[in-house]
Amino acid sequence: MTVDEASATGAIPAPPRARVLDPAHRWISIGMCALVFLAAFESMAVTAVMPAVAAELDGQALYALAFAGPLAVSVIGMIVAGNAADRGCPRLALFASVALFVAGLLIAGTATGMWQLVIGRLVHGLGGGGLTVALYVIVARVIPAALQPSLFAGFAAAWVVPSLVGPFISGVVADGVGWQWVFLGVVGLVVPALAMVVPSLRRMRVEVPAQRPPWRVSRIAWATLAGVAVLVLNLSTEASGWAGWMVPLAAVVVIAVAVRPMVPRGTLRAVPGLPATVLTRATLSGAFFGAQVYLPLLLTGEPYRLSTAMAGLVLTLSGVAWAIASQVQGRNPERLSHEACLRIGLALLGVAIAGSLVATILGLPPVAFMLTWSLAGAGMGIMYPRTTVIGLQSSSAENQGFISSAMTVADALGAAVTIALSALVFALLLPLGAVTAVAGGIAVALGVWAAGLFTGLRARVEAPEAAALEIG
């Protein structure tokens, strides 16, 4: 039917459905997904090869710190990037974050000792934290709310290829030409990706508040204190006697105090609405990544003795499941409510972690971990994007940076603290055997999931005016 025929009959054709790849959003969407792709590749690759890196550099004592450290310092990058975005500078936040990310990869890729590798991880963790917040704010300011679930599904889809080839390729590279190229090779991909994004960012109109908020120096200081406390918590595995329990306790208290100015009021009490949503992000990240870091260590050691590439297959299947589930929720934003996605995802994640714990204790074959961790990825994929949308739909232009940084701070500290606590249990149980120690670490992640089950049922969208009252 033509337009004239439609007019003659009184029928008005429906306007075409907007999509994230429409001309108005195409290049900025592709560019942001490319950056997510590279961050995903680095994450999947490093997780798979870290057992081999720690063995070659004689750095098993720093294994957990190599994961928790970047997450801890990323909080600083998140706070700075969020404040810069609220002041109308999301481009600057993005460019500075990418520069730090690349510098850290170069330091880690040229490491001759475990401490240099950890320092490199800290530097690119700082950049990675800022990168995530900058992208979230750009999404909130450029992409219509109705398209945001689809774009975040695209972010998850950007994990598909890294999940398919990242762990396997990194294992082949580490076994062949050396693990250093797992870091250095990513650098060569970041530069062209950023070059593709720059033209789109230049054309992007950024809303600058009439009165720019001041630089939140106090929040940056609190973020630094929280990062230092997480590092101390990781290093406390070397303490003995009274310090062996006093130092971790003091570190946890400092983290709880330091995080309060960086998140909405009531977050630590799981107040229903935005605060509970932010705390849910912390528990989800803690439960998932707190268990995942030990799976390659288990599968490459006794009794399995798998190659780095084969152990990485567990991460591959999980990443693919995450992306597929994220696509499912993104295509059904009306049929699947935020609350339904959270309940389904929490159930899948809980079954997955409990199943992995049972498989570890009983010594089940590797296929058991492939199945359980695929469930974990599916659970994260269906609920994780919705927590992001809840946060953005509860924000306004004046506080998008703060809320975006609060969610990513929760991601980082939730994972970092869980990994640190699991490392304490791992070190305590290690004299009983590596398998027992891994089971203890996974049990800590299961406990964090139980806390997420409570907070997830209280997460929901708030009106921006109500959410603004919870921001200090």
Side-chain angles (χ1 to χ4, degrees):
M1 179 182 295
T2 66
V3 174
D4 291 338
E5 291 171 336
S7 301
T9 61
I12 300 176
R17 182 181 178 184
R19 298 182 183 276
V20 293
L21 292 181
D22 287 345
H25 310 112
R26 179 179 301 153
W27 292 111
I28 191 67
S29 298
I30 293 175
M32 289 188 293
C33 286
L35 289 173
V36 173
F37 168 87
L38 294 172
F41 187 92
E42 185 275 336
S43 176
M44 298 296 294
V46 171
T47 302
V49 304
M50 191 57 70
V53 174
E56 181 175 327
L57 299 180
D58 193 24
Q60 286 84 354
L62 299 177
Y63 180 84
L65 181 60
F67 289 103
L71 294 170
V73 300
S74 69
V75 174
I76 304 171
M78 294 170 189
I79 296 299
V80 174
N83 202 172
D86 284 341
R87 290 172 56 85
C89 304
R91 297 185 189 94
L92 177 61
L94 180 63
F95 296 152
S97 299
V98 171
L100 287 170
F101 186 79
V102 170
L105 291 174
L106 291 172
I107 295 171
T110 58
T112 57
M114 193 64 177
W115 268 112
Q116 182 183 341
L117 180 112
V118 169
I119 291 172
R121 294 273 290 159
L122 295 178
V123 173
H124 84 67
L126 185 66
L131 174 64
T132 302
V133 171
L135 291 178
Y136 280 8
V137 173
I138 292 171
V139 170
R141 297 190 180 183
V142 175
I143 306 299
L147 299 182
Q148 289 174 8
S150 296
L151 184 57
F152 284 116
F155 281 7
W159 283 75
V160 171
V161 175
S163 298
L164 285 172
V165 302
F168 180 76
I169 289 180
S170 64
V172 172
V173 170
D175 295 336
V177 299
W179 56 263
Q180 293 86 348
W181 288 100
V182 173
F183 296 94
L184 299 177
V186 175
V187 174
L189 299 174
V190 171
V191 175
L194 184 61
M196 181 179 64
V197 171
V198 168
S200 299
L201 292 180
R202 286 176 178 171
R203 294 191 296 269
M204 182 183 68
R205 296 182 61 184
V206 178
E207 181 179 351
V208 180
Q211 291 185 344
R212 291 188 175 186
W215 281 104
R216 301 287 187 176
V217 177
S218 61
R219 283 180 181 160
I220 297 173
W222 285 117
T224 303
L225 180 61
V228 171
V230 172
L231 296 178
V232 170
L233 181 59
N234 277 270
L235 295 173
S236 64
T237 56
E238 301 298 316
S240 59
W242 64 270
W245 60 273
M246 282 295 294
V247 172
L249 179 61
V252 170
V253 171
V254 169
I255 293 168
V257 172
V259 76
R260 292 183 65 186
M262 296 183 283
V263 296
R265 294 188 184 97
T267 295
L268 297 181
R269 293 182 285 110
V271 172
L274 181 62
T277 303
V278 173
L279 187 57
T280 299
R281 286 287 286 256
T283 56
L284 295 182
S285 294
F288 182 83
F289 294 105
Q292 179 171 271
V293 297
Y294 288 102
L295 296 183
L297 187 65
L298 173 69
L299 295 174
T300 56
E302 295 292 347
Y304 299 103
R305 305 297 296 176
L306 296 181
S307 67
T308 302
M310 290 305 299
L313 185 59
V314 173
L315 309 185
T316 293
L317 297 175
S318 176
V320 172
W322 184 321
I324 292 174
S326 185
Q327 288 292 318
V328 170
Q329 68 80 31
R331 292 180 180 274
N332 298 276
E334 294 84 13
R335 295 179 59 186
L336 287 174
S337 66
H338 299 328
E339 292 77 9
C341 286
L342 286 172
R343 292 190 181 97
I344 295 170
L346 282 166
L348 291 174
L349 182 61
V351 170
I353 297 176
S356 297
L357 179 59
V358 171
T360 301
I361 295 173
L362 298 181
L364 299 182
V367 67
F369 296 96
M370 296 177 185
L371 292 174
T372 60
W373 218 240
S374 294
L375 287 178
M380 292 295 284
I382 202 168
M383 63 180 163
Y384 197 81
R386 292 305 181 96
T387 60
T388 303
V389 174
I390 290 173
L392 293 180
Q393 292 182 353
S394 301
S395 66
S396 62
E398 289 73 24
N399 56 35
Q400 286 165 350
F402 175 82
I403 293 177
S404 295
S405 67
M407 289 189 294
T408 50
V409 163
D411 285 341
L413 288 182
V417 171
T418 302
I419 292 172
L421 293 176
S422 65
L424 292 173
V425 174
F426 181 90
L428 180 66
L429 297 178
L430 191 57
L432 301 179
V435 173
T436 301
V438 168
I442 296 176
V444 172
L446 185 60
V448 174
W449 168 85
L453 185 62
F454 169 75
T455 63
L457 297 177
R458 301 163 71 89
R460 61 184 66 100
V461 175
E462 286 189 82
E465 296 79 10
L469 299 177
E470 298 165 343
I471 297 174

